[in-house]
Amino acid sequence: MIDAGAKSRLGKLRLVLWAGVFLVAGIALSLWFTGSRPAAEQATDYGDSVGGPFEMVASDGSTVTDKTLAGKPYAIFFGFTRCPDVCPTTLARMARLRQELGPDGEKFRLVFVSVDPEHDKPEDVGRYVDLFATPILGLTGSERQLAQIVKAYHVYYQKVPEGDDYTIDHSAGVYLMDAKGKLRSMIDYQEDDEAALAKLRNLIA
């Protein structure tokens, strides 16, 4: 049995490790993006490398696809409702940043995708996103549906045994997608609010 202190230390260690993974991935993407090919060609390929067709289930039971989101920029985050720190912190922060944007905060959608279909049913996700006092489209689905969307967004997640239960390690970045479903940038969990707001303003410009 893992005590509360050990769980807290384990959670902090995972956060540090994922921050490192996210940083390395960002550096790798940056190096690739600034390679020898023409800038316009690189930008197109970079935007095309993330996102794509998917089909998930909203909290009201309706089907949501990539076409549902088309036409308006969106910020999409992957996590799970029982996440002890990264998920609630990130969603609360995105709600606060949206509020700081004033009326412009309505120009993008905020999307939360559960990577725990075994536990997170549509109604569970609906109750969870309602906690953050801002419109959030909460999505879940079958294992097959989840596999499709995490592949499209290059998201990492892995179930980790924890006593008689489990937790989930997962990517901690927020993907900022334009109205055409192209990746514009990402918000890192460790990034300061000023930088995050600048990215959101660029997204909705």
PDB file of all heavy atoms in Angstrom, residues 46-75:
ATOM      1  N   TYR A  46       4.967  21.022 -40.452  1.00  0.00           N
ATOM      2  CA  TYR A  46       4.889  21.050 -38.996  1.00  0.00           C
ATOM      3  C   TYR A  46       3.435  21.095 -38.550  1.00  0.00           C
ATOM      4  O   TYR A  46       3.011  20.338 -37.675  1.00  0.00           O
ATOM      5  CB  TYR A  46       5.653  22.266 -38.480  1.00  0.00           C
ATOM      6  CG  TYR A  46       5.670  22.410 -36.987  1.00  0.00           C
ATOM      7  CD1 TYR A  46       6.305  21.473 -36.183  1.00  0.00           C
ATOM      8  CD2 TYR A  46       5.065  23.503 -36.368  1.00  0.00           C
ATOM      9  CE1 TYR A  46       6.338  21.620 -34.800  1.00  0.00           C
ATOM     10  CE2 TYR A  46       5.094  23.653 -34.999  1.00  0.00           C
ATOM     11  CZ  TYR A  46       5.741  22.714 -34.219  1.00  0.00           C
ATOM     12  OH  TYR A  46       5.760  22.865 -32.859  1.00  0.00           O
ATOM     13  N   GLY A  47       2.637  21.969 -39.174  1.00  0.00           N
ATOM     14  CA  GLY A  47       1.236  22.060 -38.817  1.00  0.00           C
ATOM     15  C   GLY A  47       0.462  20.809 -39.165  1.00  0.00           C
ATOM     16  O   GLY A  47      -0.461  20.411 -38.465  1.00  0.00           O
ATOM     17  N   ASP A  48       0.866  20.145 -40.246  1.00  0.00           N
ATOM     18  CA  ASP A  48       0.177  18.940 -40.693  1.00  0.00           C
ATOM     19  C   ASP A  48       0.526  17.706 -39.874  1.00  0.00           C
ATOM     20  O   ASP A  48      -0.167  16.690 -39.948  1.00  0.00           O
ATOM     21  CB  ASP A  48       0.512  18.655 -42.163  1.00  0.00           C
ATOM     22  CG  ASP A  48      -0.168  19.630 -43.102  1.00  0.00           C
ATOM     23  OD1 ASP A  48      -1.122  20.308 -42.658  1.00  0.00           O
ATOM     24  OD2 ASP A  48       0.259  19.722 -44.265  1.00  0.00           O
ATOM     25  N   SER A  49       1.605  17.778 -39.110  1.00  0.00           N
ATOM     26  CA  SER A  49       2.079  16.586 -38.399  1.00  0.00           C
ATOM     27  C   SER A  49       1.264  16.257 -37.160  1.00  0.00           C
ATOM     28  O   SER A  49       1.376  15.172 -36.611  1.00  0.00           O
ATOM     29  CB  SER A  49       3.550  16.760 -38.006  1.00  0.00           C
ATOM     30  OG  SER A  49       3.683  17.764 -37.005  1.00  0.00           O
ATOM     31  N   VAL A  50       0.453  17.193 -36.687  1.00  0.00           N
ATOM     32  CA  VAL A  50      -0.350  16.995 -35.478  1.00  0.00           C
ATOM     33  C   VAL A  50      -1.818  17.255 -35.801  1.00  0.00           C
ATOM     34  O   VAL A  50      -2.151  18.225 -36.478  1.00  0.00           O
ATOM     35  CB  VAL A  50       0.106  17.936 -34.339  1.00  0.00           C
ATOM     36  CG1 VAL A  50      -0.801  17.787 -33.123  1.00  0.00           C
ATOM     37  CG2 VAL A  50       1.553  17.652 -33.962  1.00  0.00           C
ATOM     38  N   GLY A  51      -2.678  16.386 -35.291  1.00  0.00           N
ATOM     39  CA  GLY A  51      -4.105  16.510 -35.566  1.00  0.00           C
ATOM     40  C   GLY A  51      -4.519  15.561 -36.678  1.00  0.00           C
ATOM     41  O   GLY A  51      -3.693  14.854 -37.252  1.00  0.00           O
ATOM     42  N   GLY A  52      -5.808  15.543 -36.957  1.00  0.00           N
ATOM     43  CA  GLY A  52      -6.313  14.662 -37.994  1.00  0.00           C
ATOM     44  C   GLY A  52      -7.669  14.099 -37.626  1.00  0.00           C
ATOM     45  O   GLY A  52      -8.261  14.485 -36.606  1.00  0.00           O
ATOM     46  N   PRO A  53      -8.176  13.165 -38.419  1.00  0.00           N
ATOM     47  CA  PRO A  53      -9.514  12.618 -38.188  1.00  0.00           C
ATOM     48  C   PRO A  53      -9.619  11.878 -36.854  1.00  0.00           C
ATOM     49  O   PRO A  53      -8.699  11.172 -36.447  1.00  0.00           O
ATOM     50  CB  PRO A  53      -9.706  11.644 -39.357  1.00  0.00           C
ATOM     51  CG  PRO A  53      -8.745  12.103 -40.398  1.00  0.00           C
ATOM     52  CD  PRO A  53      -7.568  12.625 -39.655  1.00  0.00           C
ATOM     53  N   PHE A  54     -10.732  12.074 -36.171  1.00  0.00           N
ATOM     54  CA  PHE A  54     -11.030  11.321 -34.953  1.00  0.00           C
ATOM     55  C   PHE A  54     -12.531  11.334 -34.723  1.00  0.00           C
ATOM     56  O   PHE A  54     -13.260  12.138 -35.306  1.00  0.00           O
ATOM     57  CB  PHE A  54     -10.293  11.902 -33.731  1.00  0.00           C
ATOM     58  CG  PHE A  54     -10.780  13.266 -33.308  1.00  0.00           C
ATOM     59  CD1 PHE A  54     -11.889  13.419 -32.484  1.00  0.00           C
ATOM     60  CD2 PHE A  54     -10.114  14.414 -33.720  1.00  0.00           C
ATOM     61  CE1 PHE A  54     -12.346  14.677 -32.090  1.00  0.00           C
ATOM     62  CE2 PHE A  54     -10.549  15.679 -33.336  1.00  0.00           C
ATOM     63  CZ  PHE A  54     -11.667  15.804 -32.522  1.00  0.00           C
ATOM     64  N   GLU A  55     -12.981  10.436 -33.860  1.00  0.00           N
ATOM     65  CA  GLU A  55     -14.386  10.382 -33.459  1.00  0.00           C
ATOM     66  C   GLU A  55     -14.439  10.029 -31.985  1.00  0.00           C
ATOM     67  O   GLU A  55     -13.959   8.978 -31.574  1.00  0.00           O
ATOM     68  CB  GLU A  55     -15.126   9.339 -34.282  1.00  0.00           C
ATOM     69  CG  GLU A  55     -16.604   9.216 -33.926  1.00  0.00           C
ATOM     70  CD  GLU A  55     -17.302   8.151 -34.752  1.00  0.00           C
ATOM     71  OE1 GLU A  55     -17.471   8.374 -35.964  1.00  0.00           O
ATOM     72  OE2 GLU A  55     -17.654   7.100 -34.173  1.00  0.00           O
ATOM     73  N   MET A  56     -15.002  10.937 -31.181  1.00  0.00           N
ATOM     74  CA  MET A  56     -15.095  10.731 -29.742  1.00  0.00           C
ATOM     75  C   MET A  56     -16.538  10.972 -29.293  1.00  0.00           C
ATOM     76  O   MET A  56     -17.413  11.289 -30.101  1.00  0.00           O
ATOM     77  CB  MET A  56     -14.135  11.670 -28.998  1.00  0.00           C
ATOM     78  CG  MET A  56     -12.663  11.461 -29.342  1.00  0.00           C
ATOM     79  SD  MET A  56     -12.010   9.866 -28.800  1.00  0.00           S
ATOM     80  CE  MET A  56     -11.898  10.125 -27.023  1.00  0.00           C
ATOM     81  N   VAL A  57     -16.770  10.828 -27.985  1.00  0.00           N
ATOM     82  CA  VAL A  57     -18.123  10.986 -27.436  1.00  0.00           C
ATOM     83  C   VAL A  57     -18.120  12.118 -26.422  1.00  0.00           C
ATOM     84  O   VAL A  57     -17.289  12.154 -25.505  1.00  0.00           O
ATOM     85  CB  VAL A  57     -18.593   9.683 -26.759  1.00  0.00           C
ATOM     86  CG1 VAL A  57     -20.010   9.861 -26.210  1.00  0.00           C
ATOM     87  CG2 VAL A  57     -18.547   8.520 -27.749  1.00  0.00           C
ATOM     88  N   ALA A  58     -19.051  13.059 -26.569  1.00  0.00           N
ATOM     89  CA  ALA A  58     -19.176  14.181 -25.650  1.00  0.00           C
ATOM     90  C   ALA A  58     -19.947  13.753 -24.405  1.00  0.00           C
ATOM     91  O   ALA A  58     -20.528  12.661 -24.343  1.00  0.00           O
ATOM     92  CB  ALA A  58     -19.886  15.338 -26.336  1.00  0.00           C
ATOM     93  N   SER A  59     -19.980  14.618 -23.405  1.00  0.00           N
ATOM     94  CA  SER A  59     -20.626  14.283 -22.134  1.00  0.00           C
ATOM     95  C   SER A  59     -22.129  14.066 -22.267  1.00  0.00           C
ATOM     96  O   SER A  59     -22.734  13.381 -21.443  1.00  0.00           O
ATOM     97  CB  SER A  59     -20.352  15.381 -21.105  1.00  0.00           C
ATOM     98  OG  SER A  59     -20.798  16.635 -21.579  1.00  0.00           O
ATOM     99  N   ASP A  60     -22.739  14.628 -23.317  1.00  0.00           N
ATOM    100  CA  ASP A  60     -24.170  14.421 -23.530  1.00  0.00           C
ATOM    101  C   ASP A  60     -24.453  13.198 -24.396  1.00  0.00           C
ATOM    102  O   ASP A  60     -25.609  12.940 -24.758  1.00  0.00           O
ATOM    103  CB  ASP A  60     -24.811  15.669 -24.142  1.00  0.00           C
ATOM    104  CG  ASP A  60     -24.254  16.010 -25.524  1.00  0.00           C
ATOM    105  OD1 ASP A  60     -23.364  15.276 -26.019  1.00  0.00           O
ATOM    106  OD2 ASP A  60     -24.695  17.023 -26.112  1.00  0.00           O
ATOM    107  N   GLY A  61     -23.413  12.445 -24.736  1.00  0.00           N
ATOM    108  CA  GLY A  61     -23.578  11.241 -25.535  1.00  0.00           C
ATOM    109  C   GLY A  61     -23.490  11.453 -27.035  1.00  0.00           C
ATOM    110  O   GLY A  61     -23.510  10.483 -27.800  1.00  0.00           O
ATOM    111  N   SER A  62     -23.352  12.699 -27.467  1.00  0.00           N
ATOM    112  CA  SER A  62     -23.267  12.978 -28.894  1.00  0.00           C
ATOM    113  C   SER A  62     -21.878  12.667 -29.436  1.00  0.00           C
ATOM    114  O   SER A  62     -20.892  12.641 -28.693  1.00  0.00           O
ATOM    115  CB  SER A  62     -23.615  14.446 -29.175  1.00  0.00           C
ATOM    116  OG  SER A  62     -22.686  15.317 -28.547  1.00  0.00           O
ATOM    117  N   THR A  63     -21.804  12.437 -30.723  1.00  0.00           N
ATOM    118  CA  THR A  63     -20.529  12.158 -31.375  1.00  0.00           C
ATOM    119  C   THR A  63     -19.846  13.460 -31.769  1.00  0.00           C
ATOM    120  O   THR A  63     -20.478  14.365 -32.323  1.00  0.00           O
ATOM    121  CB  THR A  63     -20.749  11.297 -32.629  1.00  0.00           C
ATOM    122  OG1 THR A  63     -21.324  10.048 -32.251  1.00  0.00           O
ATOM    123  CG2 THR A  63     -19.440  11.042 -33.353  1.00  0.00           C
ATOM    124  N   VAL A  64     -18.565  13.548 -31.469  1.00  0.00           N
ATOM    125  CA  VAL A  64     -17.758  14.717 -31.828  1.00  0.00           C
ATOM    126  C   VAL A  64     -16.596  14.237 -32.694  1.00  0.00           C
ATOM    127  O   VAL A  64     -15.900  13.284 -32.334  1.00  0.00           O
ATOM    128  CB  VAL A  64     -17.220  15.438 -30.581  1.00  0.00           C
ATOM    129  CG1 VAL A  64     -16.255  16.553 -30.969  1.00  0.00           C
ATOM    130  CG2 VAL A  64     -18.370  16.009 -29.761  1.00  0.00           C
ATOM    131  N   THR A  65     -16.392  14.878 -33.830  1.00  0.00           N
ATOM    132  CA  THR A  65     -15.289  14.537 -34.722  1.00  0.00           C
ATOM    133  C   THR A  65     -14.420  15.770 -34.958  1.00  0.00           C
ATOM    134  O   THR A  65     -14.730  16.878 -34.497  1.00  0.00           O
ATOM    135  CB  THR A  65     -15.813  14.026 -36.077  1.00  0.00           C
ATOM    136  OG1 THR A  65     -16.370  15.136 -36.810  1.00  0.00           O
ATOM    137  CG2 THR A  65     -16.881  12.961 -35.884  1.00  0.00           C
ATOM    138  N   ASP A  66     -13.346  15.574 -35.699  1.00  0.00           N
ATOM    139  CA  ASP A  66     -12.503  16.700 -36.071  1.00  0.00           C
ATOM    140  C   ASP A  66     -13.291  17.730 -36.872  1.00  0.00           C
ATOM    141  O   ASP A  66     -13.030  18.935 -36.786  1.00  0.00           O
ATOM    142  CB  ASP A  66     -11.295  16.215 -36.878  1.00  0.00           C
ATOM    143  CG  ASP A  66     -11.704  15.339 -38.064  1.00  0.00           C
ATOM    144  OD1 ASP A  66     -12.317  14.271 -37.834  1.00  0.00           O
ATOM    145  OD2 ASP A  66     -11.407  15.714 -39.212  1.00  0.00           O
ATOM    146  N   LYS A  67     -14.276  17.273 -37.627  1.00  0.00           N
ATOM    147  CA  LYS A  67     -15.104  18.204 -38.404  1.00  0.00           C
ATOM    148  C   LYS A  67     -15.993  19.046 -37.498  1.00  0.00           C
ATOM    149  O   LYS A  67     -16.338  20.188 -37.830  1.00  0.00           O
ATOM    150  CB  LYS A  67     -15.944  17.430 -39.420  1.00  0.00           C
ATOM    151  CG  LYS A  67     -15.113  16.782 -40.527  1.00  0.00           C
ATOM    152  CD  LYS A  67     -15.996  16.053 -41.522  1.00  0.00           C
ATOM    153  CE  LYS A  67     -15.175  15.507 -42.693  1.00  0.00           C
ATOM    154  NZ  LYS A  67     -14.133  14.563 -42.247  1.00  0.00           N
ATOM    155  N   THR A  68     -16.377  18.506 -36.334  1.00  0.00           N
ATOM    156  CA  THR A  68     -17.166  19.276 -35.366  1.00  0.00           C
ATOM    157  C   THR A  68     -16.383  20.497 -34.902  1.00  0.00           C
ATOM    158  O   THR A  68     -16.958  21.577 -34.684  1.00  0.00           O
ATOM    159  CB  THR A  68     -17.516  18.403 -34.147  1.00  0.00           C
ATOM    160  OG1 THR A  68     -18.133  17.191 -34.581  1.00  0.00           O
ATOM    161  CG2 THR A  68     -18.460  19.142 -33.203  1.00  0.00           C
ATOM    162  N   LEU A  69     -15.087  20.340 -34.739  1.00  0.00           N
ATOM    163  CA  LEU A  69     -14.251  21.428 -34.229  1.00  0.00           C
ATOM    164  C   LEU A  69     -13.796  22.391 -35.317  1.00  0.00           C
ATOM    165  O   LEU A  69     -13.287  23.476 -35.009  1.00  0.00           O
ATOM    166  CB  LEU A  69     -13.022  20.847 -33.530  1.00  0.00           C
ATOM    167  CG  LEU A  69     -13.294  19.944 -32.316  1.00  0.00           C
ATOM    168  CD1 LEU A  69     -11.976  19.461 -31.727  1.00  0.00           C
ATOM    169  CD2 LEU A  69     -14.104  20.676 -31.266  1.00  0.00           C
ATOM    170  N   ALA A  70     -13.951  22.026 -36.565  1.00  0.00           N
ATOM    171  CA  ALA A  70     -13.480  22.862 -37.666  1.00  0.00           C
ATOM    172  C   ALA A  70     -14.197  24.207 -37.680  1.00  0.00           C
ATOM    173  O   ALA A  70     -15.374  24.310 -37.355  1.00  0.00           O
ATOM    174  CB  ALA A  70     -13.695  22.136 -38.994  1.00  0.00           C
ATOM    175  N   GLY A  71     -13.457  25.235 -38.036  1.00  0.00           N
ATOM    176  CA  GLY A  71     -14.045  26.567 -38.179  1.00  0.00           C
ATOM    177  C   GLY A  71     -13.768  27.494 -37.020  1.00  0.00           C
ATOM    178  O   GLY A  71     -14.050  28.706 -37.104  1.00  0.00           O
ATOM    179  N   LYS A  72     -13.194  26.980 -35.929  1.00  0.00           N
ATOM    180  CA  LYS A  72     -12.889  27.816 -34.770  1.00  0.00           C
ATOM    181  C   LYS A  72     -11.638  27.267 -34.088  1.00  0.00           C
ATOM    182  O   LYS A  72     -11.521  26.053 -33.900  1.00  0.00           O
ATOM    183  CB  LYS A  72     -14.066  27.806 -33.783  1.00  0.00           C
ATOM    184  CG  LYS A  72     -13.927  28.766 -32.621  1.00  0.00           C
ATOM    185  CD  LYS A  72     -15.216  28.783 -31.778  1.00  0.00           C
ATOM    186  CE  LYS A  72     -15.133  29.815 -30.671  1.00  0.00           C
ATOM    187  NZ  LYS A  72     -16.393  29.883 -29.879  1.00  0.00           N
ATOM    188  N   PRO A  73     -10.698  28.130 -33.708  1.00  0.00           N
ATOM    189  CA  PRO A  73      -9.499  27.631 -33.021  1.00  0.00           C
ATOM    190  C   PRO A  73      -9.868  26.905 -31.732  1.00  0.00           C
ATOM    191  O   PRO A  73     -10.913  27.178 -31.123  1.00  0.00           O
ATOM    192  CB  PRO A  73      -8.703  28.908 -32.723  1.00  0.00           C
ATOM    193  CG  PRO A  73      -9.216  29.923 -33.678  1.00  0.00           C
ATOM    194  CD  PRO A  73     -10.665  29.596 -33.874  1.00  0.00           C
ATOM    195  N   TYR A  74      -9.001  25.995 -31.314  1.00  0.00           N
ATOM    196  CA  TYR A  74      -9.267  25.309 -30.054  1.00  0.00           C
ATOM    197  C   TYR A  74      -7.973  24.928 -29.353  1.00  0.00           C
ATOM    198  O   TYR A  74      -6.920  24.744 -29.985  1.00  0.00           O
ATOM    199  CB  TYR A  74     -10.156  24.080 -30.264  1.00  0.00           C
ATOM    200  CG  TYR A  74      -9.636  23.026 -31.192  1.00  0.00           C
ATOM    201  CD1 TYR A  74      -8.950  21.893 -30.725  1.00  0.00           C
ATOM    202  CD2 TYR A  74      -9.858  23.122 -32.572  1.00  0.00           C
ATOM    203  CE1 TYR A  74      -8.515  20.907 -31.586  1.00  0.00           C
ATOM    204  CE2 TYR A  74      -9.419  22.126 -33.445  1.00  0.00           C
ATOM    205  CZ  TYR A  74      -8.748  21.033 -32.950  1.00  0.00           C
ATOM    206  OH  TYR A  74      -8.309  20.049 -33.801  1.00  0.00           O
ATOM    207  N   ALA A  75      -8.061  24.843 -28.034  1.00  0.00           N
ATOM    208  CA  ALA A  75      -6.962  24.383 -27.189  1.00  0.00           C
ATOM    209  C   ALA A  75      -7.382  23.021 -26.654  1.00  0.00           C
ATOM    210  O   ALA A  75      -8.436  22.907 -26.014  1.00  0.00           O
ATOM    211  CB  ALA A  75      -6.719  25.360 -26.047  1.00  0.00           C
TER     212      ALA A  75
END
